[in-house]
């Protein structure tokens, strides 16, 4: 009887060991969603390489199923909710699509605030980790947080070279800060997700879009817009930028075994964010080339007009500071810390 019990226990232990090994080796498929087509830089030069990397480092146990162009349903502003609710495991989106949900980190979207993709991205990661992770990223595991390139004016059929020329024009921007900027300088700000804006520019409902170069070929703005105004101040700061996020459902992350969590951790953070920013920086060059090839007119504003633009939009930063203060936060201190981090990293 004792031998029978021993053999039974041994069989149970062996079976348990095999089950544990099977669980450890089980594949996890991550649903990754975003709002642009597969031709977009984010899809083929950021999300796909990231997915390939975690697949390799997990020895095939982590894999991605990518859903571009809102294939999981809904609209771009709903991506963040999809990530928090687990409809998607990971999403790439813009905080600007959900105004009010990222009020702290949107300081990096203020006019003439950011001079460099990768260096400013490192400042943004540090700032967000210090001030925004607990509040703005509740329910999420931040993988990457970055700024895209300078947002320029891409106009359908109007060559605008002055602040006066902007008056009353219908221009789309991606975020609350950029819309505040457009309003401050006299344009008619049209806040909407990019896919909707592309339809608007093609039908002539919009006069132009305020986006970085990298967007141009992905949504055929090289065909839909004729005039492209590159506007920077004397310090090299673009007139606007957008923050972007690549985030994972926290419950999904927590459900992973420790070794797979480590793979995700090793592919998250400041270095990952800077790498993503580098992909968008390279794409800006290609976007500009696409506009040139299509016969687009690319030009700059005079420094005198850029200074007028800065002056007209200077109130936007103070509005943000006052807004933060009204919410019980130290608005000026937050602004000063963000500004100091941008200066710190851009001096290196």
């Amino acid at each position: 009887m004792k031998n029978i019990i021993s053999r039974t226990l041994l069989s149970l232990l062996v079976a348990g060991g095999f089950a544990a090994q099977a669980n450890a080796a089980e594949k996890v498929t991550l649903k990754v969603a975003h709002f642009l087509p597969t031709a977009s830089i984010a899809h083929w030069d950021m999300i796909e390489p990231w997915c390939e990397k975690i697949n390799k480092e997990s020895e095939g146990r982590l894999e991605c199923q990518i859903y571009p162009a809102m294939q999981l349903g809904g609209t771009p502003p709903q991506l963040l909710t999809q990530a928090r609710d687990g409809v998607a495991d990971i999403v790439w989106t813009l905080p600007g699509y959900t105004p009010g949900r990222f009020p702290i980190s949107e300081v990096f979207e203020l006019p003439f605030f950011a001079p460099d993709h990768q260096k400013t991205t490192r400042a943004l990661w540090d700032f967000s980790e210090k001030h925004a992770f607990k509040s703005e990223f509740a329910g999420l595991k931040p993988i990457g947080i970055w700024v895209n390139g300078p947002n320029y004016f891409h106009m359908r059929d109007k060559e605008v070279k002055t602040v006066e020329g902007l008056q009353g024009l219908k221009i789309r921007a991606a975020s609350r800060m950029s819309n505040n900027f457009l309003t401050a300088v006299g344009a008619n700000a049209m806040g909407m997700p990019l896919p909707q804006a592309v339809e608007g520019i093609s039908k002539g409902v919009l006069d132009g879009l305020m986006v970085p170069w990298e967007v141009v070929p992905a949504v055929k703005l090289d065909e839909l817009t004729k005039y492209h105004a590159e506007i920077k101040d004397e310090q090299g700061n673009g007139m606007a930028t957008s923050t972007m996020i690549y985030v994972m459902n926290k419950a999904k992350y927590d459900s992973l075994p420790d070794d797979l969590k480590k793979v995700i951790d090793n592919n998250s953070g400041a270095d990952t964010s800077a790498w993503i920013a580098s992909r968008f920086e390279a794409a800006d060059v290609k976007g500009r080339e696409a506009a040139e090839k299509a016969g687009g007119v690319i030009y700059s504003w005079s420094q005198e007009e850029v200074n007028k633009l800065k002056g007209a939009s200077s109130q936007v930063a103070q509005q943000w500071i006052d807004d933060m203060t009204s919410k019980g936060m130290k608005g000026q201190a937050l602004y000063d810390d963000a500004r100091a981090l941008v200066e710190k990293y851009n001096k290196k």
Side-chain angles (χ1 to χ4, degrees):
M1 177 64 74
K2 194 176 289 186
N3 288 337
I4 293 172
I5 293 173
S6 297
R7 286 197 298 272
T8 302
L9 286 173
L10 179 62
S11 298
L12 289 171
L13 288 170
V14 170
F18 282 139
Q21 289 177 17
N23 288 335
E26 185 178 353
K27 286 187 177 181
V28 177
T29 300
L30 300 172
K31 294 179 290 184
V32 183
H34 67 90
F35 59 92
L36 284 182
T38 56
S40 62
I41 173 68
H43 183 94
W44 64 266
D45 203 26
M46 185 266 279
I47 295 173
E48 284 189 342
W50 184 88
C51 287
E52 291 167 4
K53 194 166 185 288
I54 65 166
N55 181 260
K56 182 178 180 180
E57 292 179 13
S58 67
E59 298 180 342
R61 290 169 56 209
L62 283 173
E63 59 184 14
C64 296
Q65 178 63 51
I66 306 173
Y67 296 88
M70 301 307 301
Q71 288 181 358
L72 287 178
T75 61
Q78 294 172 321
L79 279 167
L80 189 62
T81 299
Q82 289 180 355
R84 283 186 165 139
D85 291 349
V87 174
D89 298 314
I90 297 174
V91 301
W92 163 59
T93 189
L94 278 71
Y97 285 176
T98 51
R101 295 180 76 166
F102 292 84
I104 300 172
S105 52
E106 72 178 358
V107 63
F108 279 76
E109 298 180 344
L110 289 172
F112 298 99
F113 199 86
D116 180 273
H117 294 69
Q118 297 181 57
K119 294 175 182 178
T120 302
T121 286
R122 290 187 179 277
L124 172 60
W125 179 274
D126 284 4
F127 179 85
S128 298
E129 190 172 39
K130 182 177 178 181
H131 299 292
F133 273 10
K134 288 183 180 179
S135 57
E136 296 184 349
F137 291 85
L140 300 169
K141 155 81 173 171
I143 295 172
I145 309 169
W146 67 99
V147 296
N148 63 7
N151 285 208
Y152 296 133
F153 290 135
H154 303 271
M155 309 302 292
R156 189 173 189 265
D157 51 23
K158 294 180 174 66
E159 186 175 15
V160 180
K161 292 187 173 182
T162 64
V163 175
E164 185 179 357
L166 290 171
Q167 305 310 296
L169 295 184
K170 294 178 180 178
I171 301 176
R172 175 267 182 189
S175 70
R176 189 170 75 98
M177 293 297 98
S178 290
N179 283 317
N180 288 351
F181 164 80
L182 287 172
T183 300
V185 301
N188 191 350
M190 308 292 287
M192 61 184 73
L194 186 58
Q196 184 181 348
V198 172
E199 182 180 356
I201 198 76
S202 67
K203 293 180 177 179
V205 175
L206 295 176
D207 295 302
L209 287 81
M210 195 167 128
V211 294
W213 278 119
E214 50 92 2
V215 167
V216 168
V219 294
K220 301 188 184 304
L221 286 185
D222 49 328
E223 301 173 12
L224 296 172
T225 56
K226 176 69 174 176
Y227 298 100
H228 311 272
E230 293 183 316
I231 300 172
K232 288 186 177 183
D233 67 10
E234 291 175 310
Q235 288 74 45
N237 298 308
M239 62 180 177
T241 190
S242 294
T243 58
M244 296 185 175
I245 58 175
Y246 190 53
V247 292
M248 184 174 186
N249 175 276
K250 185 65 163 56
K252 183 69 175 182
Y253 170 80
D254 289 340
S255 73
L256 298 176
D258 288 345
D259 61 332
L260 294 188
K261 284 181 185 174
K262 190 172 188 301
V263 173
I264 298 295
D265 291 343
N266 289 344
N267 291 280
S268 303
D271 288 344
T272 295
S273 299
W275 169 76
I276 295 172
S278 76
R279 308 325 305 141
F280 279 76
E281 187 172 10
D284 276 349
V285 175
K286 294 179 180 179
R288 194 181 193 279
E289 290 173 350
E292 285 182 314
K293 187 176 180 181
V297 179
I298 302 172
Y299 60 97
S300 300
W301 281 24
S302 70
Q303 198 57 54
E304 180 183 0
E305 284 298 323
V306 174
N307 290 339
K308 287 181 183 178
L309 194 65
K310 287 185 72 173
S313 63
S314 60
Q315 61 181 289
V316 178
Q318 190 59 52
Q319 287 172 350
W320 181 87
I321 292 169
D322 293 343
D323 187 36
M324 292 297 99
T325 303
S326 71
K327 289 179 169 66
M329 290 177 264
K330 297 178 180 179
Q332 187 65 56
L334 286 168
Y335 176 86
D336 291 344
D337 194 25
R339 185 78 260 166
L341 284 167
V342 168
E343 291 174 1
K344 168 189 170 183
Y345 278 100
N346 281 278
K347 282 180 180 177
K348 291 184 176 180

